[in-house]
Amino acid sequence: MITAEDARRGIAEAREDFRRGVLEATVREMSEKDLAFALAMLDDSDGSRLVDIAARMDVTNGYASTYKRRLLKKGVVGERPGGRLDFDIPLLREYLDEFYTE
């Protein structure tokens, strides 16, 4: 019989496997500027506008667009209604917030 504790342990192990296998691998494959773009999105809980991301990165909208296209192509972020961007990989926002911000 599977107990509640068995389920909790299984969930914790699955989350750890996902963290190592997907989240860490995704961030490891990002360039420094890809990561800066993703980190600039953390302030927005309802999706980010490119203009806001560019301002946080202290770059032009055109420059930020390069990294937007790269992360869209990699499936890291996706476009939402109203031209906003958000993370497409589950738990990536939380991972970045925990391990890459102070």
Side-chain angles (χ1 to χ4, degrees):
M1 181 166 132
I2 297 174
T3 66
E5 181 54 35
D6 293 332
R8 280 191 287 277
R9 189 177 31 233
I11 291 168
E13 289 175 11
R15 284 179 71 97
E16 180 61 21
D17 287 347
F18 186 78
R19 183 182 65 79
R20 279 194 320 272
V22 176
L23 301 176
E24 287 179 4
T26 297
V27 172
R28 197 171 36 251
E29 292 173 6
M30 288 178 165
S31 72
E32 184 178 317
K33 291 294 185 182
D34 290 337
L35 181 58
F37 187 99
L39 292 173
M41 293 175 60
L42 294 180
D43 288 345
D44 304 309
S45 61
D46 61 344
S48 301
R49 298 180 318 144
L50 183 64
V51 66
D52 296 329
I53 296 167
R56 290 181 194 127
M57 293 177 70
D58 196 27
V59 299
T60 66
N61 290 351
Y63 186 86
S65 290
T66 300
Y67 297 96
K68 170 189 168 183
R69 283 190 300 276
R70 288 169 51 100
L71 294 176
L72 283 167
K73 186 175 181 179
K74 291 179 180 183
V76 175
V77 301
E79 294 186 280
R80 303 296 187 266
R84 293 185 177 268
L85 298 167
D86 210 346
F87 295 101
D88 272 356
I89 298 175
L91 304 173
L92 182 58
R93 174 183 297 279
E94 295 81 359
Y95 176 79
L96 291 173
D97 192 39
E98 181 177 352
F99 292 100
Y100 289 89
T101 62
E102 297 178 74

Short mmCIF file of all heavy atoms in Angstrom, two decimals, residues 13-52:
data_model
loop_
_atom_site.label_atom_id
_atom_site.label_comp_id
_atom_site.label_asym_id
_atom_site.label_seq_id
_atom_site.Cartn_x
_atom_site.Cartn_y
_atom_site.Cartn_z
N GLU A 13 11.41 13.55 -5.01
CA GLU A 13 12.42 12.95 -5.89
C GLU A 13 12.20 13.35 -7.34
O GLU A 13 13.15 13.64 -8.07
CB GLU A 13 12.41 11.44 -5.74
CG GLU A 13 12.97 10.96 -4.42
CD GLU A 13 12.84 9.46 -4.21
OE1 GLU A 13 12.52 8.73 -5.17
OE2 GLU A 13 13.07 9.00 -3.07
N ALA A 14 10.95 13.40 -7.77
CA ALA A 14 10.63 13.81 -9.14
C ALA A 14 11.03 15.27 -9.38
O ALA A 14 11.59 15.60 -10.43
CB ALA A 14 9.15 13.60 -9.44
N ARG A 15 10.74 16.13 -8.41
CA ARG A 15 11.11 17.54 -8.54
C ARG A 15 12.63 17.70 -8.62
O ARG A 15 13.14 18.49 -9.40
CB ARG A 15 10.56 18.35 -7.37
CG ARG A 15 9.07 18.62 -7.48
CD ARG A 15 8.57 19.41 -6.28
NE ARG A 15 9.02 20.78 -6.30
CZ ARG A 15 8.32 21.81 -6.77
NH1 ARG A 15 7.11 21.60 -7.23
NH2 ARG A 15 8.81 23.01 -6.76
N GLU A 16 13.36 16.94 -7.82
CA GLU A 16 14.81 17.00 -7.84
C GLU A 16 15.35 16.50 -9.19
O GLU A 16 16.26 17.10 -9.76
CB GLU A 16 15.41 16.18 -6.69
CG GLU A 16 16.91 16.19 -6.63
CD GLU A 16 17.52 17.58 -6.45
OE1 GLU A 16 16.85 18.50 -5.98
OE2 GLU A 16 18.71 17.73 -6.81
N ASP A 17 14.78 15.42 -9.71
CA ASP A 17 15.19 14.91 -11.03
C ASP A 17 14.92 15.96 -12.11
O ASP A 17 15.74 16.17 -13.01
CB ASP A 17 14.44 13.62 -11.37
CG ASP A 17 14.92 12.43 -10.58
OD1 ASP A 17 15.99 12.52 -9.93
OD2 ASP A 17 14.22 11.39 -10.59
N PHE A 18 13.76 16.63 -12.03
CA PHE A 18 13.41 17.66 -13.00
C PHE A 18 14.37 18.84 -12.88
O PHE A 18 14.82 19.39 -13.89
CB PHE A 18 11.96 18.12 -12.77
CG PHE A 18 11.46 19.09 -13.80
CD1 PHE A 18 11.06 18.63 -15.05
CD2 PHE A 18 11.39 20.44 -13.53
CE1 PHE A 18 10.61 19.52 -16.02
CE2 PHE A 18 10.94 21.33 -14.49
CZ PHE A 18 10.55 20.87 -15.73
N ARG A 19 14.70 19.21 -11.66
CA ARG A 19 15.64 20.31 -11.44
C ARG A 19 16.99 20.00 -12.09
O ARG A 19 17.53 20.80 -12.85
CB ARG A 19 15.82 20.60 -9.95
CG ARG A 19 16.74 21.81 -9.68
CD ARG A 19 16.96 22.05 -8.20
NE ARG A 19 17.69 20.99 -7.54
CZ ARG A 19 19.01 20.82 -7.61
NH1 ARG A 19 19.75 21.63 -8.31
NH2 ARG A 19 19.58 19.82 -6.97
N ARG A 20 17.51 18.83 -11.81
CA ARG A 20 18.82 18.45 -12.36
C ARG A 20 18.77 18.21 -13.86
O ARG A 20 19.63 18.69 -14.60
CB ARG A 20 19.34 17.19 -11.67
CG ARG A 20 19.99 17.44 -10.34
CD ARG A 20 20.79 16.25 -9.84
NE ARG A 20 20.17 14.96 -10.08
CZ ARG A 20 19.32 14.37 -9.24
NH1 ARG A 20 18.99 14.93 -8.11
NH2 ARG A 20 18.79 13.19 -9.53
N GLY A 21 17.78 17.48 -14.30
CA GLY A 21 17.72 17.07 -15.70
C GLY A 21 17.23 18.12 -16.67
O GLY A 21 17.62 18.11 -17.84
N VAL A 22 16.36 19.01 -16.21
CA VAL A 22 15.78 20.01 -17.12
C VAL A 22 16.23 21.42 -16.77
O VAL A 22 16.79 22.12 -17.61
CB VAL A 22 14.23 19.92 -17.12
CG1 VAL A 22 13.62 21.00 -17.98
CG2 VAL A 22 13.79 18.54 -17.59
N LEU A 23 15.99 21.85 -15.54
CA LEU A 23 16.26 23.24 -15.20
C LEU A 23 17.75 23.56 -15.23
O LEU A 23 18.16 24.55 -15.85
CB LEU A 23 15.66 23.57 -13.83
CG LEU A 23 14.14 23.37 -13.73
CD1 LEU A 23 13.67 23.64 -12.30
CD2 LEU A 23 13.40 24.23 -14.72
N GLU A 24 18.57 22.75 -14.57
CA GLU A 24 20.01 23.01 -14.58
C GLU A 24 20.58 22.91 -15.99
O GLU A 24 21.41 23.73 -16.38
CB GLU A 24 20.74 22.04 -13.65
CG GLU A 24 20.52 22.34 -12.18
CD GLU A 24 21.21 21.36 -11.26
OE1 GLU A 24 21.96 20.47 -11.73
OE2 GLU A 24 21.01 21.48 -10.03
N ALA A 25 20.12 21.92 -16.75
CA ALA A 25 20.60 21.76 -18.12
C ALA A 25 20.21 22.95 -18.99
O ALA A 25 21.00 23.44 -19.79
CB ALA A 25 20.06 20.47 -18.71
N THR A 26 19.00 23.43 -18.82
CA THR A 26 18.54 24.58 -19.60
C THR A 26 19.39 25.80 -19.30
O THR A 26 19.86 26.49 -20.22
CB THR A 26 17.06 24.88 -19.28
OG1 THR A 26 16.26 23.77 -19.69
CG2 THR A 26 16.58 26.14 -19.99
N VAL A 27 19.62 26.09 -18.04
CA VAL A 27 20.40 27.27 -17.68
C VAL A 27 21.85 27.10 -18.12
O VAL A 27 22.47 28.05 -18.61
CB VAL A 27 20.30 27.56 -16.16
CG1 VAL A 27 21.25 28.66 -15.74
CG2 VAL A 27 18.85 27.91 -15.81
N ARG A 28 22.38 25.91 -18.01
CA ARG A 28 23.77 25.65 -18.42
C ARG A 28 23.96 25.93 -19.92
O ARG A 28 25.01 26.39 -20.34
CB ARG A 28 24.13 24.20 -18.09
CG ARG A 28 25.58 23.89 -18.07
CD ARG A 28 25.93 22.51 -17.53
NE ARG A 28 25.00 21.44 -17.86
CZ ARG A 28 24.18 20.86 -16.97
NH1 ARG A 28 24.17 21.23 -15.71
NH2 ARG A 28 23.38 19.88 -17.34
N GLU A 29 22.93 25.68 -20.72
CA GLU A 29 23.01 25.89 -22.16
C GLU A 29 22.76 27.34 -22.57
O GLU A 29 22.96 27.70 -23.73
CB GLU A 29 22.02 24.97 -22.88
CG GLU A 29 22.40 23.52 -22.76
CD GLU A 29 21.34 22.58 -23.33
OE1 GLU A 29 20.35 23.06 -23.92
OE2 GLU A 29 21.50 21.36 -23.16
N MET A 30 22.33 28.18 -21.64
CA MET A 30 22.08 29.59 -21.95
C MET A 30 23.39 30.36 -21.99
O MET A 30 24.30 30.09 -21.21
CB MET A 30 21.20 30.23 -20.86
CG MET A 30 19.78 29.82 -20.85
SD MET A 30 18.97 30.68 -19.45
CE MET A 30 17.27 30.44 -19.88
N SER A 31 23.43 31.35 -22.89
CA SER A 31 24.56 32.27 -22.88
C SER A 31 24.39 33.23 -21.70
O SER A 31 23.32 33.27 -21.07
CB SER A 31 24.61 33.06 -24.18
OG SER A 31 23.55 34.02 -24.22
N GLU A 32 25.41 34.00 -21.43
CA GLU A 32 25.33 34.98 -20.34
C GLU A 32 24.18 35.97 -20.58
O GLU A 32 23.44 36.32 -19.66
CB GLU A 32 26.66 35.73 -20.24
CG GLU A 32 26.74 36.71 -19.11
CD GLU A 32 28.09 37.39 -19.04
OE1 GLU A 32 29.11 36.69 -19.19
OE2 GLU A 32 28.12 38.61 -18.82
N LYS A 33 24.01 36.39 -21.83
CA LYS A 33 22.94 37.35 -22.15
C LYS A 33 21.57 36.68 -22.15
O LYS A 33 20.58 37.31 -21.79
CB LYS A 33 23.21 38.03 -23.50
CG LYS A 33 24.39 38.95 -23.45
CD LYS A 33 24.13 40.13 -22.53
CE LYS A 33 25.26 41.12 -22.58
NZ LYS A 33 25.09 42.25 -21.70
N ASP A 34 21.49 35.42 -22.57
CA ASP A 34 20.22 34.68 -22.45
C ASP A 34 19.77 34.67 -20.99
O ASP A 34 18.60 34.93 -20.69
CB ASP A 34 20.38 33.22 -22.91
CG ASP A 34 20.58 33.03 -24.39
OD1 ASP A 34 20.19 33.90 -25.18
OD2 ASP A 34 21.12 31.96 -24.75
N LEU A 35 20.71 34.37 -20.11
CA LEU A 35 20.40 34.31 -18.69
C LEU A 35 20.01 35.69 -18.16
O LEU A 35 19.06 35.82 -17.38
CB LEU A 35 21.59 33.75 -17.90
CG LEU A 35 21.40 33.60 -16.40
CD1 LEU A 35 20.20 32.72 -16.07
CD2 LEU A 35 22.66 33.04 -15.76
N ALA A 36 20.72 36.72 -18.59
CA ALA A 36 20.38 38.08 -18.17
C ALA A 36 18.96 38.43 -18.60
O ALA A 36 18.20 39.06 -17.84
CB ALA A 36 21.38 39.08 -18.74
N PHE A 37 18.58 38.04 -19.80
CA PHE A 37 17.22 38.28 -20.30
C PHE A 37 16.21 37.57 -19.40
O PHE A 37 15.22 38.17 -18.97
CB PHE A 37 17.11 37.78 -21.75
CG PHE A 37 15.82 38.12 -22.43
CD1 PHE A 37 15.74 39.20 -23.29
CD2 PHE A 37 14.68 37.34 -22.25
CE1 PHE A 37 14.56 39.52 -23.94
CE2 PHE A 37 13.50 37.64 -22.89
CZ PHE A 37 13.43 38.74 -23.74
N ALA A 38 16.45 36.30 -19.13
CA ALA A 38 15.53 35.53 -18.28
C ALA A 38 15.44 36.12 -16.88
O ALA A 38 14.34 36.23 -16.32
CB ALA A 38 15.98 34.06 -18.22
N LEU A 39 16.56 36.52 -16.32
CA LEU A 39 16.54 37.12 -14.99
C LEU A 39 15.79 38.45 -14.98
O LEU A 39 15.12 38.78 -14.00
CB LEU A 39 17.96 37.30 -14.46
CG LEU A 39 18.72 36.02 -14.17
CD1 LEU A 39 20.17 36.33 -13.82
CD2 LEU A 39 18.06 35.22 -13.07
N ALA A 40 15.85 39.18 -16.08
CA ALA A 40 15.14 40.45 -16.18
C ALA A 40 13.63 40.25 -16.22
O ALA A 40 12.87 41.18 -15.97
CB ALA A 40 15.60 41.22 -17.42
N MET A 41 13.19 39.04 -16.49
CA MET A 41 11.76 38.73 -16.52
C MET A 41 11.20 38.44 -15.12
O MET A 41 9.98 38.44 -14.94
CB MET A 41 11.50 37.52 -17.42
CG MET A 41 11.76 37.77 -18.88
SD MET A 41 11.59 36.27 -19.89
CE MET A 41 9.89 35.81 -19.59
N LEU A 42 12.03 38.19 -14.15
CA LEU A 42 11.56 37.74 -12.84
C LEU A 42 10.70 38.75 -12.10
O LEU A 42 9.87 38.36 -11.28
CB LEU A 42 12.75 37.34 -11.96
CG LEU A 42 13.54 36.11 -12.43
CD1 LEU A 42 14.69 35.84 -11.46
CD2 LEU A 42 12.65 34.90 -12.57
N ASP A 43 10.87 40.03 -12.39
CA ASP A 43 10.08 41.05 -11.69
C ASP A 43 8.61 41.06 -12.08
O ASP A 43 7.80 41.66 -11.39
CB ASP A 43 10.66 42.44 -11.96
CG ASP A 43 11.97 42.68 -11.25
OD1 ASP A 43 12.30 41.90 -10.33
OD2 ASP A 43 12.67 43.64 -11.61
N ASP A 44 8.27 40.41 -13.19
CA ASP A 44 6.91 40.47 -13.73
C ASP A 44 6.19 39.14 -13.51
O ASP A 44 6.52 38.15 -14.15
CB ASP A 44 6.96 40.78 -15.23
CG ASP A 44 7.72 42.05 -15.52
OD1 ASP A 44 7.42 43.07 -14.88
OD2 ASP A 44 8.61 42.02 -16.39
N SER A 45 5.20 39.15 -12.66
CA SER A 45 4.48 37.90 -12.36
C SER A 45 3.43 37.56 -13.42
O SER A 45 2.98 36.43 -13.49
CB SER A 45 3.83 37.98 -10.98
OG SER A 45 2.90 39.05 -10.95
N ASP A 46 3.05 38.54 -14.24
CA ASP A 46 2.01 38.29 -15.24
C ASP A 46 2.54 38.41 -16.67
O ASP A 46 1.83 38.80 -17.58
CB ASP A 46 0.83 39.24 -15.02
CG ASP A 46 1.22 40.70 -15.16
OD1 ASP A 46 2.43 41.01 -15.12
OD2 ASP A 46 0.31 41.54 -15.30
N GLY A 47 3.78 38.06 -16.87
CA GLY A 47 4.40 38.17 -18.18
C GLY A 47 5.14 39.49 -18.30
O GLY A 47 4.82 40.46 -17.63
N SER A 48 6.13 39.49 -19.16
CA SER A 48 7.02 40.64 -19.30
C SER A 48 6.88 41.27 -20.69
O SER A 48 6.77 40.56 -21.69
CB SER A 48 8.47 40.20 -19.14
OG SER A 48 8.69 39.62 -17.88
N ARG A 49 6.93 42.57 -20.72
CA ARG A 49 6.98 43.30 -21.98
C ARG A 49 8.45 43.45 -22.38
O ARG A 49 9.31 43.66 -21.52
CB ARG A 49 6.33 44.66 -21.86
CG ARG A 49 4.85 44.60 -21.52
CD ARG A 49 4.21 45.97 -21.41
NE ARG A 49 5.07 46.91 -20.70
CZ ARG A 49 5.17 48.21 -21.01
NH1 ARG A 49 4.46 48.72 -21.98
NH2 ARG A 49 5.97 49.00 -20.32
N LEU A 50 8.73 43.35 -23.66
CA LEU A 50 10.10 43.46 -24.14
C LEU A 50 10.74 44.78 -23.71
O LEU A 50 11.90 44.81 -23.30
CB LEU A 50 10.16 43.30 -25.66
CG LEU A 50 11.57 43.33 -26.25
CD1 LEU A 50 12.39 42.14 -25.74
CD2 LEU A 50 11.51 43.35 -27.76
N VAL A 51 9.98 45.85 -23.77
CA VAL A 51 10.52 47.17 -23.40
C VAL A 51 10.99 47.17 -21.94
O VAL A 51 12.01 47.79 -21.62
CB VAL A 51 9.49 48.29 -23.70
CG1 VAL A 51 8.27 48.17 -22.82
CG2 VAL A 51 10.12 49.65 -23.55
N ASP A 52 10.27 46.49 -21.06
CA ASP A 52 10.66 46.42 -19.65
C ASP A 52 11.91 45.56 -19.46
O ASP A 52 12.79 45.91 -18.67
CB ASP A 52 9.52 45.88 -18.79
CG ASP A 52 8.31 46.80 -18.79
OD1 ASP A 52 8.49 48.04 -18.92
OD2 ASP A 52 7.17 46.29 -18.69
#
